[in-house]
Amino acid sequence: MKILKKTAKVLLIIIGVIAIALLICYINHRVRLAKEAKAMTVMGTPVTVGGHTMNVYSEGDGDITLVFMSGGGTCSPVLDFKSLYSLLNDKYRIAVVEKFGYGFSDVVDRERDIDTILEDTRAALSAAGLEAPYVLCPHSMSGLEALRWAQKYPDEVAAIVGLDMAVPGYYEEMKINIPLMRLASFAAQIGVTRLIPGIAESDAIQYGTLSEEEKELYRAVFYRRTATVTMINETAAVKENAKTVEAAGVPGLPMLLFISDGSGGTGFDKETWRSIPKEYLSQADGSSYIELDCPHYIHDHEYEKIAEEMTEFISGLEEQQ
């Protein structure tokens, strides 16, 4: 009996210590958020979609509009793509759509089926005064949205430039751990993530061309947009979204896919990662791919080469018109 009492006492002490530690983390997190809020200058134009705010960033004055679409969980799309689009803004109109739950857009707890995501993006671009047709530039998971866009509204999509974008085949065997994502979300809300060294140092910060001020802004956004409920809902729906895109077939439009070596968090080995989009493109006439020896966030590593190849590809489209 005494042993049980001692054990219970020890457990209570441990629980108490953990509770106090979490409370300290939370208080520190709230204080830091308040300080960081002073530097949270919105990059873009807030527009209203379905009663909530989405952020659309644009620059450049070209006749062709490039729409950059972020991968799942990318906390700050506007800053993540900057190293690449800053090399293209003298030739094209640049647009970066931050979906709900990302960047400077609202976090909303709503369905994230592929058609809802697409309609949100289209409505945001329209509200920002950006008109189709577009050249879609999706990274990772947004590849599904880009393909769906071309399937449903072919007149709005001139071409797709895939930045290591997802195609349906990736999700057939991919294991998705939603409970782990919810745990990460809880850790982010409490402020535990601030205790993990280097966690906010994205590829854009480490390898891109962001200024010191932009890096600080990226970090500030990170602590507000990590594993949001919107991102979790999107991930939970991705396998069904992939099936929807797969069932509608391969769209018949020009596509140029840049393919990474699969490192940087994809969960695939190099050979498998590269074989899946190649198989997909084998069903599309007039499309091509370029392999890059760099991690998944290719636009933060090989932005100069990608900008050069994109310009050549788009020039080819203009010549065909």
Side-chain angles (χ1 to χ4, degrees), residues 164 257-261 273-274 277-278 289-292:
D164 216 24
L257 304 192
F258 293 95
I259 307 173
S260 77
D261 61 15
W273 181 256
R274 288 182 168 176
K278 290 179 186 179
Y289 64 87
I290 295 173
E291 295 179 344
L292 299 173

Side-chain angles (χ1 to χ4, degrees), residues 258-273:
F258 293 95
I259 307 173
S260 77
D261 61 15
S263 64
T266 68
F268 290 80
D269 61 79
K270 180 177 179 179
E271 182 178 354
T272 304
W273 181 256

Side-chain angles (χ1 to χ4, degrees), residues 5 8 12 16 18 26 29 49 51 77 92 101 115 117 133 137 139 145 164 193 197 207 234 261 288 308 310 312:
K5 287 183 178 180
L12 286 173
I18 292 174
Y26 179 72
H29 182 49
V49 176
Y92 312 109
D115 289 333
I117 294 172
C137 307
H139 173 240
E145 183 185 354
D164 216 24
T193 48
Y207 307 107
E234 185 180 66
D261 61 15
S288 58
E308 181 181 339
M310 282 181 67
E312 183 176 340

Side-chain angles (χ1 to χ4, degrees), residues 91-300:
K91 304 179 185 69
Y92 312 109
R93 180 75 166 174
I94 304 299
V96 184
V97 179
E98 295 192 316
K99 295 179 288 186
F100 286 126
Y102 292 72
F104 296 103
S105 296
D106 287 347
V107 175
V108 297
D109 189 358
R110 56 168 54 174
E111 292 297 318
R112 295 282 81 191
D113 64 273
I114 193 68
D115 289 333
T116 296
I117 294 172
L118 173 56
E119 296 311 321
D120 286 346
T121 299
R122 294 178 67 243
L125 286 169
S126 178
L130 297 165
E131 299 179 352
Y134 311 110
V135 173
L136 304 182
C137 307
H139 173 240
S140 198
M141 189 187 293
S142 280
L144 296 178
E145 183 185 354
L147 293 171
R148 186 63 173 163
W149 203 334
Q151 291 168 347
K152 292 188 70 176
Y153 306 103
D155 292 341
E156 294 183 8
V157 184
I160 293 176
V161 176
L163 303 172
D164 216 24
M165 79 177 207
V167 296
Y170 282 129
Y171 296 99
E172 292 178 3
E173 302 298 330
M174 184 181 291
K175 295 180 180 179
I176 298 173
N177 193 331
I178 297 300
L180 183 60
M181 287 192 69
R182 296 192 189 282
L183 180 61
S185 179
F186 173 76
Q189 292 175 44
I190 294 297
V192 174
T193 48
R194 291 186 184 271
L195 305 179
I196 304 174
I199 192 172
E201 302 303 294
S202 67
D203 283 16
I205 289 176
Q206 295 184 69
Y207 307 107
T209 59
L210 299 181
S211 67
E212 289 303 315
E213 183 179 17
E214 288 166 341
K215 290 177 181 179
E216 285 304 311
L217 179 57
Y218 198 117
R219 295 182 185 106
V221 175
F222 172 84
Y223 290 117
R224 288 163 168 76
R225 294 293 184 269
T226 297
T228 64
V229 64
T230 325
M231 293 175 181
I232 293 172
N233 291 346
E234 185 180 66
T235 304
V238 72
K239 283 183 174 286
E240 286 303 315
N241 288 342
K243 290 178 182 178
T244 298
V245 174
E246 178 72 22
V250 179
L253 82 167
M255 287 188 278
L256 170 63
L257 304 192
F258 293 95
I259 307 173
S260 77
D261 61 15
S263 64
T266 68
F268 290 80
D269 61 79
K270 180 177 179 179
E271 182 178 354
T272 304
W273 181 256
R274 288 182 168 176
S275 66
I276 292 173
K278 290 179 186 179
E279 171 61 27
Y280 189 83
L281 282 186
S282 70
Q283 307 170 63
D285 294 333
S287 294
S288 58
Y289 64 87
I290 295 173
E291 295 179 344
L292 299 173
D293 291 320
C294 67
H296 185 44
Y297 277 74
I298 58 173
H299 46 280
D300 294 321

Side-chain angles (χ1 to χ4, degrees), residues 55-58 66-69 77-78 81 85 94-98:
N55 184 53
V56 180
Y57 177 84
S58 64
L66 310 183
V67 179
F68 289 85
M69 306 159 69
V78 170
F81 286 119
Y85 67 66
I94 304 299
V96 184
V97 179
E98 295 192 316

